[in-house]
Amino acid sequence: MKKIIAAASAMAIACSLASCSAKEKETKETEKKTIGISMPSQSLERWNSDGSSLKAQFEKAGYSVDLRFAEDNADKQNEDISGMINDGADLLLIAAVDGNTLSDTLVQAKDKEIPVVAYDRLIMNTDALTYYVSFDNLTVGKLQGEYIRDQLHLMSATNEYNIEFVAGDAGDNNARYFFNGAYDTLKPYIDKGTLHILSGRNTFEQVATKDWTTANAEKTMKDTLASYYNDGKSLDIVLCSNDSTALGVENALDSDYKGGNTPLITGQDGDLANLANIVDGKQSMTVYKNVHDEAAVAFGVCKMLLDGSIPTSKLAESFGDIKVNYDSESYNNGVRYIQSYLLVPYVITKENLQLLVDTGVFKWDSENKYLEAAE
């Protein structure tokens, strides 16, 4: 009888333990994981779009999201990321204000085995970085340079043109890729004497624009016009790395340029003000990077990591109509080559604005003249 009671008691305990184990497992499986998302700033249209798109995708999939904007302040971004780590983030997705300033903070993430994914901008000098999701940044600059080359028929041109370069923030690793892609494409024509840089500014450091801001680009262009184009010389091309700097250049030209021509101006991002200027002939083109697509790829990479899987080259083939290249040999952050998922950008001009409408991100206004946000 005692044996029967003991067996029954043991069975009850075992069942109880099994029940507790099952409940613990169920709780663990259903417990929400948290992703910490750090964006550079809310002052640029694109980061608001990136942040909201990422947040929506992760929350829809059942994750908790801690989204913070760093106000273009590297110190604040470090504080934000430290806060996310201390608050128990399971993964960090970071678009760096300055990719050279995060290595010390990310030691904490590595110590706690928190995966770190760099978004859009490469994070430098750290072995805590797991993956990188961005566009093919060198190609962005190449597309801008090729546009200028083809529009002016530089390969067979007998005319000579004046060009100035306006690059992005020196702390943004991508900005150098953009500039190099454009400058290297046009360098043969600069060396040949078909293109002249009257200011003499032909290095990235000389043409970098702090914080990518419209105001800083406008001030620089006004100074350039006053110093080099105040005697009737024409400015034929301004190769701007993105739309916020292009807008500053366009503002300066509107107020201070005395030439009788309209310079060719490049851009990148597809900001609404710049798309309107493309319609109005003030800007020639922009290189469009569908940030919703970039967010979708980042979500795919992060979800695999959060689920305990390891993203590989095969993941690049799983995004349907989104063109993504897997690259493990091009982006070295000073410590190692980072496995990267690179989306393919494309050129937008006045003639193919409908392509932006087709993305679902934009729509035509009531007069079918300008684009506006679809959401």
Side-chain angles (χ1 to χ4, degrees):
M1 183 66 178
K2 288 182 179 179
K3 290 182 178 179
I4 294 173
I5 293 173
S9 177
M11 185 176 293
I13 292 172
C15 289
S16 176
L17 289 173
S19 176
C20 288
S21 177
K23 286 181 179 179
E24 288 175 0
K25 183 178 180 183
E26 182 181 354
T27 300
K28 189 173 181 180
E29 287 177 347
T30 57
E31 181 181 348
K32 281 187 176 182
K33 290 188 175 181
T34 299
I35 177 168
I37 301 176
S38 178
M39 292 282 113
S41 171
Q42 286 182 296
S43 63
L44 287 184
E45 182 180 315
R46 71 147 301 180
W47 297 123
N48 286 305
S49 181
D50 284 84
S52 61
S53 181
L54 286 162
K55 187 173 188 292
Q57 288 190 71
F58 282 106
E59 288 182 341
K60 184 178 180 180
Y63 299 102
S64 294
V65 177
D66 183 355
L67 171 62
R68 307 190 193 188
F69 292 88
E71 299 171 3
D72 277 326
N73 185 313
D75 291 335
K76 183 179 186 308
Q77 186 165 51
N78 275 284
E79 292 173 4
D80 287 346
I81 292 169
S82 291
M84 293 173 183
I85 293 170
N86 293 331
D87 290 343
D90 296 288
L91 182 145
L92 296 172
L93 180 61
I94 303 169
V97 172
D98 184 339
N100 296 297
T101 64
L102 297 173
S103 56
D104 290 344
T105 299
L106 292 180
V107 170
Q108 304 171 51
K110 185 179 181 183
D111 289 344
K112 293 189 176 184
E113 299 183 345
I114 300 172
V116 179
V117 177
Y119 184 80
D120 202 73
R121 298 172 173 177
L122 189 62
I123 300 172
M124 305 299 292
N125 305 315
T126 176
D127 60 357
L129 184 59
T130 314
Y131 289 91
Y132 177 42
V133 177
S134 187
F135 283 84
D136 188 336
N137 298 312
L138 198 65
T139 293
V140 171
K142 286 181 179 178
L143 289 173
Q144 293 170 336
E146 288 169 356
Y147 177 86
I148 297 300
R149 179 197 68 194
D150 296 343
Q151 288 295 302
L152 297 178
H153 307 289
L154 295 181
M155 287 183 286
S156 59
T158 56
N159 295 329
E160 297 179 5
Y161 302 95
N162 294 326
I163 183 172
E164 298 292 338
F165 289 82
V166 179
D169 185 79
D172 180 351
N173 185 64
N174 289 355
R176 192 178 295 273
Y177 279 98
F178 300 146
F179 173 79
N180 288 343
Y183 191 86
D184 290 348
T185 300
L186 295 177
K187 187 175 184 298
Y189 311 104
I190 295 171
D191 292 344
K192 185 180 177 181
T194 305
L195 297 178
H196 300 278
I197 308 172
L198 297 188
S199 69
R201 300 184 189 120
N202 61 357
T203 68
F204 172 73
E205 289 75 14
Q206 289 174 315
V207 298
T209 304
K210 183 173 174 52
D211 297 330
W212 291 94
T213 67
T214 296
N216 288 335
E218 182 174 350
K219 181 180 183 304
T220 298
M221 181 50 58
K222 284 183 175 180
D223 291 344
T224 300
L225 292 173
S227 299
Y228 303 100
Y229 297 91
N230 61 352
D231 57 355
K233 288 187 176 68
S234 66
L235 175 58
D236 303 297
I237 310 146
V238 187
L239 200 145
C240 301
S241 287
N242 85 326
D243 281 350
S244 59
T245 55
L247 191 61
V249 167
E250 289 148 20
N251 291 343
L253 291 172
D254 281 345
S255 62
D256 289 30
Y257 182 51
K258 307 306 180 185
N261 66 312
T262 300
L264 293 177
I265 299 176
T266 67
Q268 173 195 180
D269 289 334
D271 290 350
L272 286 172
N274 297 79
L275 294 176
N277 279 351
I278 288 175
V279 172
D280 293 338
K282 295 181 178 181
Q283 183 168 322
S284 309
M285 59 85 81
T286 189
V287 177
Y288 184 65
K289 306 182 303 185
N290 190 332
V291 296
H292 288 201
D293 287 350
E294 186 178 14
V297 174
F299 171 77
V301 172
C302 293
K303 187 176 187 305
M304 286 195 73
L305 291 169
L306 289 167
D307 293 347
S309 301
I310 299 176
T312 65
S313 60
K314 290 184 178 179
L315 179 62
E317 303 168 5
S318 68
F319 295 105
D321 293 335
I322 303 175
K323 294 181 180 179
V324 184
N325 295 321
Y326 174 82
D327 187 333
S328 60
E329 300 177 347
S330 297
Y331 287 85
N332 190 311
N333 76 338
V335 176
R336 63 188 182 193
Y337 285 95
I338 305 300
Q339 297 180 76
S340 305
Y341 293 88
L342 305 175
L343 290 82
V344 180
Y346 50 94
V347 170
I348 291 294
T349 65
K350 185 175 182 178
E351 287 69 37
N352 67 352
L353 286 169
Q354 180 61 37
L355 287 177
L356 297 183
V357 177
D358 294 342
T359 67
V361 179
F362 300 91
K363 64 180 180 180
W364 291 107
D365 67 5
S366 58
E367 297 180 358
N368 287 323
K369 181 177 181 181
Y370 298 107
L371 296 185
E372 55 189 30
E375 299 176 357

